[in-house]
Amino acid sequence: MQRLLHIVIYIVASSLIAIADDVDSLKTMKEYYMNTITVTGTRTPKSLDNSPVVTRIITAEEIKKIDAANIKDVLLSEIPGVEFSFSMNQQVSMRMQGFGGMSILFLIDGERMAGETLDNIDFNRLNIDNVERIEIVKGAASALYGSNSVGAVINIITKRESALWAVQLNTRFGSRYGEQRHGGTISMKQGKVTNIFNLQYDKQDSYTVYDRATAEGNQARKATPVYGSHHWNFREKLLFNITDKHQLTARAGYYFSERNSSPQQKDRARDFSGGLRYTGQLSEKGNIDIGYTADRYDKSDYYPEIDKDYLDYKNVQHSLRAAYSHTFDDSLIATFGGDAMNDYLKSYQFSADNDHHSQQTADIFAQADWTIDNHWNIVAGLRADYFSHHGWEIAPKLAAMYKIKNINLRASYSKGFRAPTLKEMYMDFNMANVFNIYGNDQLRSERTNSFSLSAEYLKKYYCIVLTGYYNIIDNEITTLWDNSLEGGRGAMKYQNVEGTDLTGIDLTLMARFPSGINAKVCYSLFHEFPHKGVPATSDSRPHTLTLQLDYLKKWKHYTINPVINGRVLSRAHFNTINSTYDGYEPTLAKEYTIWKFSLLQKFYDAVTLTTTIDNIFNYRPRRYQYNSPFTLGTTFSVGLAVDVEKIVKLL
């Protein structure tokens, strides 16, 4: 594995050096990338080049290049250290350098999402068809976003069309598993009103994977069925410009999912969401942002033979937020605000005597963004959150950036917390008649102290970013076996444990040349230090690498863009709870690498044809486990995107 990494890095580095002296005709890296506006790290718009908070941005152009079908494809291709795997009953789980799904906060246009399964959101809700960009801030961000923003915040920013009208249609077919994806976006602007409607449908059939032959022959091969599913996503956004300085945004959404978990039963999920947001400039230097969001996420069991659908889970969140920003002398931006939320949960995992619980939260926060001079920028913030079940949480942060010539130096400290959820406090669930799992209403919040240092070198066609981080986790919330329960028979119970220290390094090398050649190499190193000698239990891999090389060539009516993208993952040694729940046993996650080639062709800047070969080296694991890719080998897909407005202009 190490030799393979060295070879790959050598090839990419040699290619960059060979083309470094190309003609000076296109945008530089700074013009192309660093002037991108970001809002997630500071909650106020700043150019990426001037943000003291390290932020990774994935643009819509980058999403198209990798031919991503969903948010999992995007994150796996662009962010090293991210892994998706199967949990119980093939539910999808996410990990990012030691942090699980509950510690990674997903936002859509800055708003939270309701619902979870096995501590992960429903990733199929995250439609990437109408995404403008995705902003990722690693480390604790509770000073801005409160609970759950312990390991990272991933903010999906949707598009805001400005053309008089636009119709964009897309379709995609895969060679295996019956993969299909169809959708489109319709937007219209009339006077002060802009309307954007997006629809997306995708499906995948069930299939079966087989372990490779063992010493006992093919009869000993284990067969694992993989559940198929289909999903619908509807999104509506209405923007009304009251004046040049005041805007109202109304949005509504509906999501439906059905999974073929068995011939007799199908798992269903639905989500209804809506919101209203007002943004305005109250004075030359004062801006206000007020929003209300409602989100209801349901899960049910559908039985086709009797045509009955039984609701067994409902999470409803109502949120109200407000923020005011004021600029003093063009060097200091002060932001004040607050949020309030009512969280209601009805679940099959609660006691039959009390199958629903609710919690109210409220917070206030303040932040100062001070540009001292051309070299220094400092951001300091403080947030206080109140939870009706266990009181207050305080989260500070301090970030600083020093700029000198082509170098940006950043340092930050932030405190994060994850308040216990209603499920963790009140669970009373029989686990397949094997054991019970109980909640704990005495749980304390999980807390994190996050430190990071970053150096960024940017010159003409190159960008190099090196970031080191250290996270200290205390009061970690997990389930442990308690022999005192069930009359001495024992059961699982949510408890606070000592915690873990997580540390690592991220290295990103990017190059963009006038010749049309673009390259990106991202490497991540991760290590876990459990407190008080507890065995390392994180199955995040210590070394991960993502690579991308593409060539863009444009003619008058034709553009070609071949892209090769790869992921290299090292093996991981960790510990899992043994079958008797009284100790740990060592286990291993095998190393692997997967590569993908895509060819994008654009005709008259209106029709895009994408052909893709995924897993081009036909990798298949010897054994299919929860943390191995459930692939049958090389697959092919073809996609077509049409911009109807541009075609009409050509006629």
Side-chain angles (χ1 to χ4, degrees):
M1 174 60 69
Q2 290 182 348
R3 184 176 182 183
L4 175 60
L5 291 177
H6 292 160
I7 292 173
V8 171
I9 293 173
Y10 174 78
I11 292 173
V12 174
S14 300
S15 301
L16 298 185
I17 294 172
I19 61 178
D21 296 324
D22 212 327
V23 294
D24 188 359
S25 61
L26 293 185
K27 291 182 179 179
T28 65
M29 177 65 73
K30 184 170 184 176
E31 291 172 325
Y32 173 74
Y33 184 76
M34 298 307 294
N35 288 335
T36 301
I37 298 299
T38 176
V39 297
T40 305
T42 59
R43 208 163 176 169
T44 54
K46 293 178 72 74
S47 68
L48 193 60
D49 189 31
N50 292 319
S51 175
V53 179
V54 178
T55 306
R56 173 66 189 280
I57 292 182
I58 306 172
T59 65
E61 178 185 353
E62 291 172 306
I63 294 174
K64 290 179 182 178
K65 279 185 179 182
I66 59 177
D67 190 28
N70 49 55
I71 190 66
K72 293 181 288 184
D73 288 350
V74 174
L75 297 179
L76 289 175
S77 298
E78 294 288 334
I79 307 297
V82 171
E83 293 182 71
F84 287 89
S85 62
F86 279 155
S87 292
M88 182 182 64
N89 195 29
Q90 294 187 14
Q91 301 292 347
V92 177
S93 295
M94 176 183 174
R95 301 181 307 284
M96 178 185 286
Q97 295 170 312
F99 289 104
M102 289 296 289
S103 300
I104 302 168
L105 180 62
F106 278 86
L107 304 171
I108 301 178
D109 290 329
E111 303 291 351
R112 287 175 174 265
M113 301 170 59
E116 62 87 25
T117 299
L118 296 177
D119 298 339
N120 287 264
I121 64 167
D122 188 340
F123 297 104
N124 292 310
R125 282 186 59 190
L126 302 175
N127 176 20
I128 62 169
D129 182 53
N130 65 334
V131 169
E132 178 181 298
R133 67 186 186 276
I134 300 173
E135 301 185 0
I136 301 169
V137 176
K138 290 187 178 181
S142 292
L144 283 180
Y145 299 103
S147 182
N148 296 89
S149 51
V150 175
V153 174
I154 299 176
N155 191 9
I156 299 173
I157 312 294
T158 59
K159 293 179 180 178
R160 302 170 66 90
E161 298 289 345
S162 58
L164 291 179
W165 71 275
V167 178
Q168 297 163 335
L169 305 175
N170 63 81
T171 186
R172 184 178 186 270
F173 292 89
S175 63
R176 286 187 176 175
Y177 327 134
E179 292 178 333
Q180 295 184 36
R181 188 168 184 265
H182 316 286
T185 301
I186 301 174
S187 60
M188 301 184 69
K189 184 176 181 180
Q190 183 68 39
K192 296 182 178 182
V193 179
T194 301
N195 183 72
I196 306 167
F197 174 75
N198 176 262
L199 166 65
Q200 201 69 40
Y201 170 79
D202 60 274
K203 70 176 286 290
Q204 175 184 289
D205 295 337
S206 300
Y207 62 98
T208 302
V209 295
Y210 296 90
D211 291 350
R212 293 163 71 176
T214 63
E216 291 80 11
N218 290 337
Q219 295 299 322
R221 291 198 304 166
K222 177 184 176 183
T224 304
V226 179
Y227 304 147
S229 60
H230 66 272
H231 320 280
W232 288 94
N233 260 301
F234 300 84
R235 292 289 182 268
E236 169 73 22
K237 182 186 288 187
L238 184 67
L239 300 93
F240 176 58
N241 292 310
I242 305 171
T243 68
D244 292 340
K245 298 180 180 180
H246 302 272
Q247 185 180 76
L248 279 176
T249 302
R251 59 183 180 84
Y254 173 72
Y255 161 79
F256 174 82
S257 172
E258 185 174 273
R259 192 176 70 130
N260 305 323
S261 53
S262 75
Q264 296 78 31
Q265 176 186 328
K266 298 181 184 296
D267 302 330
R268 284 183 169 179
R270 300 175 184 82
D271 182 78
F272 310 85
S273 61
L276 186 65
R277 181 181 182 184
Y278 162 73
T279 55
Q281 185 177 343
L282 300 185
S283 64
E284 183 179 349
K285 296 185 177 182
N287 296 281
I288 192 169
D289 186 345
I290 301 174
Y292 164 75
T293 299
D295 193 1
R296 169 176 168 168
Y297 181 83
D298 298 342
K299 290 188 288 189
S300 62
D301 298 325
Y302 174 66
Y303 296 90
E305 290 186 1
I306 59 175
D307 193 25
K308 294 292 184 180
D309 198 7
Y310 296 97
L311 181 72
D312 56 16
Y313 178 99
K314 180 171 70 173
N315 184 208
V316 183
Q317 295 180 351
H318 293 275
S319 303
L320 180 66
R321 62 180 180 85
Y324 174 76
S325 297
H326 193 89
T327 302
F328 299 89
D329 300 325
D330 297 326
S331 62
L332 176 64
I333 302 175
T335 303
F336 309 90
D339 306 80
M341 183 176 73
N342 182 74
D343 186 12
Y344 168 90
L345 177 61
K346 178 179 180 180
S347 174
Y348 64 95
Q349 294 181 327
F350 290 157
S351 167
D353 297 330
N354 190 2
D355 65 352
H356 65 276
H357 295 274
S358 62
Q359 178 171 238
Q360 292 74 44
T361 64
D363 69 79
I364 54 174
F365 65 87
Q367 176 182 272
D369 184 343
W370 185 22
T371 303
I372 300 174
D373 52 32
N374 292 332
H375 299 289
W376 283 98
N377 181 227
I378 296 176
V379 173
L382 183 68
R383 175 170 169 142
D385 287 76
Y386 175 77
F387 295 83
S388 60
H389 282 267
H390 63 276
W392 290 91
E393 294 289 341
I394 307 297
K397 80 165 184 178
L398 179 65
M401 180 174 68
Y402 179 72
K403 302 176 66 173
I404 179 170
K405 294 185 178 179
N406 299 317
I407 298 176
N408 295 333
L409 302 175
R410 297 177 173 92
S412 69
Y413 160 75
S414 55
K415 183 176 181 180
F417 70 91
R418 186 176 78 77
T421 64
L422 291 169
K423 182 186 76 172
E424 292 167 337
M425 289 189 289
Y426 299 109
M427 193 176 197
D428 186 349
F429 181 61
N430 182 286
M431 183 68 179
N433 292 320
V434 178
F435 56 83
N436 287 340
I437 306 176
Y438 293 107
N440 182 356
D441 60 6
Q442 300 301 311
L443 286 172
R444 294 165 292 161
S445 289
E446 184 175 301
R447 298 186 178 95
T448 298
N449 289 289
S450 180
F451 303 85
S452 73
L453 288 172
S454 176
E456 179 179 79
Y457 176 75
L458 180 69
K459 188 174 182 179
K460 209 169 186 178
Y461 307 123
Y462 300 97
C463 180
I464 303 173
V465 184
L466 177 64
T467 303
Y469 61 88
Y470 198 91
N471 298 297
I472 304 171
I473 304 176
D474 292 311
N475 299 333
E476 187 174 352
I477 300 174
T478 187
T479 51
L480 293 177
W481 188 260
D482 189 338
N483 285 317
S484 67
L485 299 174
E486 299 290 332
R489 295 189 301 273
M492 299 292 285
K493 184 178 181 179
Y494 280 98
Q495 300 182 43
N496 290 107
V497 298
E498 181 66 19
T500 305
D501 292 359
L502 306 176
T503 187
I505 295 173
D506 290 340
L507 175 63
T508 301
L509 306 136
M510 293 181 289
R512 179 179 173 86
F513 298 103
S515 62
I517 296 178
N518 307 300
K520 180 164 51 183
V521 180
C522 303
Y523 167 74
S524 178
L525 169 67
F526 164 78
H527 190 73
E528 176 187 14
F529 297 96
H531 295 181
K532 291 187 177 180
V534 177
T537 57
S538 173
D539 55 357
S540 292
R541 299 170 192 267
H543 306 280
T544 54
L545 184 72
T546 62
L547 305 99
Q548 183 172 301
L549 184 66
D550 74 274
Y551 173 69
L552 179 66
K553 181 64 176 178
K554 294 183 178 180
W555 287 273
K556 185 176 181 180
H557 299 304
Y558 177 68
T559 300
I560 188 170
N561 188 192
V563 183
I564 186 167
N565 185 282
R567 300 185 71 233
V568 183
L569 297 90
S570 70
R571 63 177 55 193
H573 296 273
F574 58 100
N575 295 276
T576 58
I577 298 178
N578 60 27
S579 58
T580 57
Y581 309 106
D582 58 0
Y584 293 89
E585 59 185 22
T587 188
L588 171 69
K590 296 287 288 184
E591 72 275 9
Y592 68 93
T593 179
I594 289 184
W595 293 78
K596 178 166 69 174
F597 174 79
S598 298
L599 179 63
L600 284 76
Q601 300 177 79
K602 183 171 286 189
F603 306 89
Y604 289 91
D605 201 32
V607 178
T608 302
L609 177 66
T610 304
T611 52
T612 298
I613 307 174
D614 198 4
N615 195 358
I616 57 179
F617 298 115
N618 201 34
Y619 169 77
R620 294 183 62 183
R622 184 172 293 276
R623 292 180 59 201
Y624 289 93
Q625 300 172 297
Y626 78 96
N627 54 7
S628 63
F630 278 70
T631 174
L632 289 173
T634 303
T635 61
F636 305 89
S637 66
V638 58
L640 184 68
V642 179
D643 193 321
V644 178
E645 175 203 10
K646 294 179 180 179
I647 290 180
V648 171
K649 289 181 179 179
L650 292 171
L651 299 177

